[in-house]
Amino acid sequence: MPPSTLLSRRDLDFLLHEWLRVSELVERPRYAEHSRETFDDALDLAERVATEQFAPHNRAADLAEPTFDGQRVRLIPQVRAALDSFAETGLLTAGLDATVGGLQLPHAVAAACFTWFQAANVATSAYPFLTLGNANLLLAHGSPEQVDTYVRPMLDGRFFGTMCLSEPHAGSSLADITTRAEPQADGSYRLFGTKMWISGGDHELAENIVHLVLARIPGAPPGVRGISLFIVPKVLVGPDGSLGERNDVALAGLNHKMGFRGTTNTLLSFGDGAHTPAGRAGAVGHLVGAPHQGLAQMFHMMNEARIGVGAGATALGYTGYLKSLAYAKERPQGRPVGAKDPAAAQVPIIDHPDVRRMLLAQKSYVEGALALVLYCARLLDEQKTAPAEADRERAHLLLDVLTPITKSWPSQWCLAANDLAIQVLGGAGYTRDHDVEQHYRDNRLNPIHEGTHGIQALDLLGRKMIMQGGAGLTLLTTTIGDTVERASKAGGEASELADRLAAAVDRVTAVTRRLWADGDPVLALANASAYLEAVGHVVIAWMWLEQVLALPAEGAGDAFHAGKRQAARYFFTVELPRTGPQFDLLESRDRTTLEMRPDWF
């Protein structure tokens, strides 16, 4: 059987076992029932179901996107069949506690498993992706009754979940939402308002849809301090778990996007009287936790989703890379430079240096991004299970700092990998005869999903790097410094790469301090996107140096290890130097953008 063109299992094994050493986690009580064998079995299962149930309808769902006839949303039947198969695997609960029916696998293993589904069919995988985030939020902030009523059916695959934040007039500015929640005598609320861009907002793939909705209670403080979070099911659920009447949540229309076309994306109306639970208008909702804590609670789901978006972007970049690699090995075209005989046989295009350049760039992006995604998942394992509290707190802070990078760097550079995959295929690449065209369109949404590139830049530079008196910056740079020290001691090429990374880290520290020298946020954040891109490249260089240190001695490994080493060389030689001009721009505190007036455009 030829190797998969979804993901590289060899790479996953290397990252999980040779680098992150996840098998050592079985020594901790939470994972004591597991072993390397159970981890590998879960990965085998994920690869098989993703390959057999998700990948085959990826193109069909793109070409026949959901439709709405005014009454029902219709999707191709393969979507429901795939999701039913996914539910049967139990992989939705892979990382959850056994007390709620979870497999209690390490989060690094669970993340690797789900990446198979994102690579196979990112649109269909969006439904369980959102459902798991919804369930995790309610497990953290919901009452026991809410967990029993809504979470357990979601984990069984009977209910699906969403997150309802944006509104047509507000977009990403959640301070401006106007959906209101009016308290009722029985302790429930009635919600009135409109939510936009709600993925998975309506369908018939499950018995029910559990919406998590941000809204304001009358008299709430202005801005984000007055936002509360509510559970609003599509169908009301009785005390015994039985389904009741239709709630006043109506689909106002479907959005038609350039990618993720198999995922319903909706405009939802709450409380417009399309349905009248208990005989009157108003969507019945239930408050999660205390009033006015909704945004903090929702960040539990949003931060999880941000890392998940980065994982999805990585998966799309990775499968595009593997498909362009397979094409390059099989497609004969042209002859080597310097070949004199026009009658000589054509060579596979991978023999041409420029094609190898494009493949090597893709490899450096997607394998570096996958390392970052799994490293973050490993940090979550540390946050939850490290024996020492100081280690748990350290993992939590480092994960906070890395979250905007993990969301945005793969969304930018694995999209660049998709662009190169199209280029490798040449004229065939932008036709619908090949998957790489769809992968690019799907991935183009990820720089916008769960907070735009610019929002993540503001979060990184305006919050994460300076919070707690700069503790985030210090932790990131000292952690990278530990890797640099190990690489320096290793000698050889690792030491040379360490010197280059150390110089880049020094610039991160100096530039961050320079930007905040006078505490002016307007000037400091004027070029925040350049900061995110530069620091992101430094972080990926760190991920590559970590992988180099996990490799056998040069010449002692196989072709896989040699390819890893060459990709690391490429990233340090071609990509890391890109940060120099970006850091120069930032250090100068350039005002060009600030001084550009709207009427000059």
Side-chain angles (χ1 to χ4, degrees):
M1 178 182 296
S4 175
T5 55
L6 297 179
L7 292 174
S8 165
R9 177 59 186 273
R10 181 68 184 87
D11 193 20
L12 286 172
D13 285 343
F14 169 79
L15 294 172
L16 291 172
H17 299 298
E18 297 175 50
W19 174 42
L20 295 174
R21 301 186 180 279
V22 295
S23 294
E24 295 176 0
L25 289 169
V26 302
E27 299 172 7
R28 297 180 182 178
R30 179 177 177 83
Y31 306 124
E33 299 298 316
H34 289 292
S35 64
R36 166 75 184 261
E37 183 178 7
T38 62
F39 298 162
D40 288 347
D41 285 347
L43 288 165
D44 289 342
L45 178 62
E47 179 179 3
R48 178 174 60 80
V49 176
T51 302
E52 296 176 359
Q53 299 293 330
F54 279 62
H57 72 273
N58 187 50
R59 175 48 56 95
D62 179 70
L63 296 176
E65 60 183 311
T67 60
F68 177 48
D69 62 9
Q71 298 296 322
R72 298 176 58 191
V73 172
R74 299 181 187 276
L75 295 91
I76 61 171
Q78 297 96 311
V79 176
R80 176 66 181 265
L83 293 173
D84 288 345
S85 296
F86 180 81
E88 290 171 5
T89 67
L91 288 173
L92 180 66
T93 65
L96 297 185
D97 294 349
T99 55
V100 293
L103 301 180
Q104 213 159 287
L105 287 167
H107 292 282
V109 177
C113 287
F114 196 70
T115 306
W116 279 108
F117 296 95
Q118 293 176 303
N121 191 319
V122 75
T124 295
S125 68
Y127 297 103
F129 170 75
L130 291 163
T131 300
L132 180 60
N134 183 308
N136 279 331
L137 185 152
L138 290 176
L139 286 170
H141 300 288
S143 68
E145 294 77 17
Q146 290 171 340
V147 169
D148 288 340
T149 303
Y150 300 105
V151 174
R152 293 186 185 277
M154 283 195 281
L155 300 182
D156 289 340
R158 293 174 42 229
F159 293 4
F160 281 0
T162 75
M163 54 194 301
C164 300
L165 290 74
S166 299
E167 298 180 4
H169 65 281
S172 299
S173 180
L174 297 180
D176 297 314
I177 67 169
T178 58
T179 298
R180 70 184 192 278
E182 298 181 355
Q184 306 296 300
D186 63 357
S188 67
Y189 290 77
R190 291 276 179 150
L191 274 71
F192 302 87
T194 303
K195 294 292 181 178
M196 183 58 146
W197 309 117
I198 309 307
S199 294
D202 201 3
H203 51 72
E204 295 183 354
L205 298 170
E207 298 174 21
N208 205 354
I209 302 175
V210 181
H211 301 292
L212 289 178
V213 184
L214 293 182
R216 297 184 183 281
I217 298 170
V224 296
R225 294 182 300 111
I227 295 175
S228 298
L229 180 64
F230 299 87
I231 299 169
V232 184
K234 177 179 177 179
V235 179
L236 298 180
V237 184
D240 61 352
S242 62
L243 296 181
E245 60 184 319
R246 184 79 153 77
N247 204 358
D248 195 8
V249 183
L251 176 61
L254 294 175
N255 299 306
H256 300 282
K257 302 185 293 182
M258 69 181 288
F260 277 70
R261 292 171 64 179
T263 308
T264 58
N265 188 269
T266 62
L267 173 64
L268 294 179
S269 180
F270 294 84
D272 70 355
H275 305 278
T276 52
R280 57 195 179 91
V284 177
H286 305 280
L287 181 68
V288 178
H292 317 319
Q293 300 300 311
L295 190 59
Q297 294 163 344
M298 188 57 87
F299 264 109
H300 188 285
M301 185 173 180
M302 289 167 65
N303 283 332
E304 179 180 334
R306 285 172 174 173
I307 292 175
V309 167
T314 299
L316 287 167
Y318 212 125
T319 188
Y321 158 62
L322 292 177
K323 288 169 183 173
S324 68
L325 174 61
Y327 183 91
K329 289 179 177 180
E330 297 168 358
R331 165 68 171 171
Q333 184 175 311
R335 295 159 188 83
V337 174
K340 304 298 185 183
D341 183 3
Q346 292 185 321
V347 298
I349 62 173
I350 198 170
D351 287 353
H352 299 305
D354 196 56
V355 173
R356 290 202 297 274
R357 172 191 65 82
M358 292 186 285
L359 292 169
L360 189 52
Q362 289 182 71
K363 181 179 176 69
S364 77
Y365 300 156
V366 304
E367 293 184 13
L370 184 59
L372 177 59
V373 167
L374 295 182
Y375 182 83
C376 286
R378 186 66 171 79
L379 284 177
L380 187 56
D381 287 316
E382 290 299 306
Q383 179 183 314
K384 290 192 172 183
T385 68
E389 182 179 356
D391 290 335
R392 295 194 297 272
E393 292 177 351
R394 176 187 175 280
H396 176 77
L397 179 58
L398 186 56
L399 184 59
D400 258 2
V401 174
L402 290 175
T403 292
I405 298 170
T406 308
K407 188 273 176 187
S408 272
W409 197 92
S411 298
Q412 179 178 5
W413 291 97
C414 292
L415 176 65
N418 289 133
D419 182 89
L420 289 170
I422 291 173
Q423 194 73 15
V424 168
L425 269 67
Y430 49 66
T431 70
R432 292 192 178 184
D433 297 325
H434 295 273
D435 291 347
V436 293
E437 175 268 345
Q438 182 186 340
H439 296 324
Y440 181 90
R441 286 189 290 106
D442 285 339
N443 218 355
R444 182 58 186 83
L445 276 61
N446 285 319
I448 297 173
H449 278 159
E450 299 308 323
T452 64
H453 194 63
I455 288 173
Q456 304 305 321
L458 295 175
D459 182 42
L460 178 66
L461 179 56
R463 276 193 288 239
K464 301 299 175 60
M465 287 298 222
I466 61 173
M467 62 185 180
Q468 301 177 30
L473 171 64
T474 299
L475 178 57
L476 177 63
T477 55
T478 56
T479 304
I480 299 175
D482 291 342
T483 304
V484 166
E485 183 177 357
R486 286 189 290 115
S488 297
K489 291 178 179 178
E493 185 177 29
S495 179
E496 296 174 14
L497 299 180
D499 290 343
R500 293 190 228 174
L501 181 56
V505 172
D506 287 345
R507 292 220 69 185
V508 172
T509 300
V511 165
T512 307
R513 290 174 177 166
R514 169 66 177 153
L515 287 170
W516 288 105
D518 59 6
D520 179 1
V522 174
L523 183 55
L525 300 174
N527 295 298
S529 290
Y531 182 89
L532 173 65
E533 293 174 17
V535 175
H537 256 51
V538 173
V539 165
I540 297 298
W542 168 39
M543 292 292 101
W544 272 114
L545 186 56
E546 280 280 334
Q547 292 181 73
V548 167
L549 291 173
L551 293 172
E554 188 169 2
D558 57 17
F560 170 84
H561 296 111
K564 278 281 183 190
R565 195 178 299 278
Q566 196 70 3
R569 289 172 182 145
Y570 177 90
F571 197 87
F572 272 82
T573 302
V574 177
E575 295 295 333
L576 188 59
R578 293 177 187 269
T579 64
Q582 290 175 309
F583 284 133
D584 291 344
L585 171 74
L586 291 159
E587 202 160 30
S588 72
R589 304 217 297 175
D590 180 72
R591 301 181 61 91
T592 302
T593 300
L594 282 179
E595 292 172 352
M596 179 65 179
R597 289 173 15 192
D599 62 324
W600 291 353
F601 284 100

